[in-house]
Amino acid sequence: MEKITIKVHKKEKLYYNLMIMFTIIFCVPGLLFLPYLLLIGFVILISTGLFIGYIKGSGVRVSKDQFSDLHEIVISQCEKLSIKNVPEVYILESGGLLNAMATKFVGANYLIIYSDLYEVIMDGRKDIVEFIIAHELCHVKRNHVYKKMYVFPSLIVPFLAHAYSRACEYTCDSVGYTLSPRGAIDGIKLLASGKRLYTKMDTAAYTKQIAMTNSFWIWFSEKLSTHPHLSKRITPEMQRASFNSFRYSDGKKSVINATQSKTEVEQTTPETKEIEAEDKNKGDDHQRFMPKL
Ligand SMILES: [Zn+2]
């Protein structure tokens, strides 16, 4: 099986080196606050443990007997990325939210996939799920969770940790794109507009919208975010590749999904509409603005 070499975003290394430098600088005065730091560490340990306990108790563990299609994707991609410590994967009911995450607890890796995101596999969009899984496995491979903990004293430097986190996201999008080129663009569009509307989105218009409406607040909101704006995550490289490789509805820019017509028919039944309306009423409004993936 062909192994994948991760192309690490150049700013990921730069910002992490800066965080190491600031951690060393703040290390000596930081010792004065050691009891508080230990207390914070203890609180994080307990809250993460409770979260993992909930996931293990209420989520659905993916295995060769449970959602085997997803299990196969994870095993295959772990081999390609040379990940030996294969994460435990759980499906979590999400009340309509589209998200996924990778985390780590006492040495074990975990992937949590929100159920609505996984459901696109039933619409024939395995490639989107492959993109999502590859992105999350990149976080595992690059050890992003623990790396952020090692340099937590540098959190005192404004914007730096967020900048590092955004660079990590670009690295992982790149891995997702490498392992699932076609799933990458539609995956990001899905996160942006949801399971029905993403097939209708004009990719070029979406990627240009920041330039068209550029403002201080767009820039500033990203600086305070751990994730880049979604419209920026469809890179020119992805767009060029999609233009060369995929089929288009009008010979220009809209990607046709192989299963688009099937998806549209299935999703316009009254019953489905009812379920979706119900889903929209679930969940906390704040969660809808959470960083994706
Ligand atoms: Zn991510």
Side-chain angles (χ1 to χ4, degrees):
M1 186 171 287
E2 190 191 347
K3 303 284 183 187
I4 301 297
T5 305
I6 294 179
K7 282 187 272 180
V8 179
H9 193 277
K10 60 179 186 295
K11 288 187 177 174
E12 181 182 330
K13 290 178 182 170
L14 170 69
Y15 291 140
Y16 197 67
N17 287 337
L18 284 172
M19 290 173 88
I20 291 172
M21 189 185 82
F22 281 112
T23 298
I24 293 167
I25 291 170
F26 296 137
C27 210
V28 175
L31 288 175
L32 297 171
F33 301 98
L34 191 59
Y36 299 102
L37 297 177
L38 290 174
L39 183 63
I40 292 168
F42 183 69
V43 169
I44 292 172
L45 182 74
I46 296 295
S47 60
T48 309
L50 290 173
F51 174 66
I52 294 297
Y54 172 76
I55 297 295
K56 286 190 166 191
S58 296
V60 184
R61 183 166 181 180
V62 173
S63 67
K64 60 181 182 342
D65 303 315
Q66 186 85 277
F67 301 125
S68 57
D69 45 4
L70 184 54
H71 180 70
E72 283 166 17
I73 293 171
V74 173
I75 297 297
S76 161
Q77 292 192 349
C78 279
E79 282 182 33
K80 288 177 182 170
L81 291 166
S82 305
I83 295 173
K84 294 191 177 77
N85 187 4
V86 176
E88 290 181 25
V89 184
Y90 290 86
I91 302 287
L92 192 66
E93 201 284 324
S94 57
L97 295 174
L98 298 167
N99 215 341
M101 68 186 77
T103 190
K104 202 162 188 168
F105 185 64
V106 290
N109 293 312
Y110 298 90
L111 295 193
I112 294 121
I113 315 293
Y114 285 13
S115 53
D116 276 61
L117 200 52
Y118 172 57
E119 280 175 13
V120 297
I121 210 165
M122 292 188 290
D123 298 329
R125 293 312 305 267
K126 186 181 173 188
D127 54 347
I128 290 181
V129 176
E130 286 172 338
F131 164 72
I132 303 294
I133 296 296
H135 176 104
E136 296 305 330
L137 286 176
C138 167
H139 284 307
V140 172
K141 178 68 181 176
R142 296 284 304 153
N143 201 18
H144 286 150
V145 175
Y146 274 10
K147 273 182 164 176
K148 287 174 187 171
M149 287 187 203
Y150 298 152
V151 293
F152 76 92
S154 65
L155 289 176
I156 202 168
V157 181
F159 306 115
L160 182 57
H162 288 89
Y164 169 67
S165 179
R166 290 195 301 276
C168 293
E169 296 305 323
Y170 280 125
T171 298
C172 292
D173 279 350
S174 165
V175 169
Y177 170 72
T178 303
L179 288 177
S180 182
R182 186 163 173 207
I185 289 183
D186 280 353
I188 292 168
K189 283 158 61 179
L190 175 83
L191 296 173
S193 68
K195 285 195 291 184
R196 289 186 71 193
L197 293 183
Y198 83 96
T199 59
K200 311 277 186 197
M201 279 177 68
D202 183 312
T203 308
Y206 185 54
T207 54
K208 283 180 194 158
Q209 71 182 38
I210 283 189
M212 302 274 288
T213 58
N214 212 356
S215 79
F216 165 78
W217 294 109
I218 295 175
W219 172 84
F220 193 49
S221 67
E222 189 180 62
K223 295 300 161 208
L224 296 176
S225 173
T226 54
H227 287 56
H229 287 313
L230 280 170
S231 59
K232 290 170 66 178
R233 289 169 65 175
I234 300 177
T235 61
E237 182 194 10
M238 288 184 194
Q239 288 185 75
R240 274 196 302 277
S242 75
F243 191 85
N244 292 331
S245 312
F246 307 149
R247 293 190 296 132
Y248 293 87
S249 58
D250 55 3
K252 289 190 290 187
K253 51 201 171 191
S254 298
V255 177
I256 289 180
N257 301 309
T259 57
Q260 183 171 336
S261 55
K262 174 175 172 281
T263 304
E264 284 172 7
V265 170
E266 285 180 358
Q267 290 183 339
T268 49
T269 62
E271 196 178 293
T272 314
K273 279 183 180 171
E274 213 171 87
I275 292 166
E276 284 179 357
E278 202 176 282
D279 281 349
K280 280 192 171 60
N281 292 327
K282 290 186 199 169
D284 185 327
D285 276 351
H286 292 297
Q287 286 185 303
R288 297 191 183 282
F289 300 102
M290 273 173 59
K292 300 292 179 74
L293 300 169

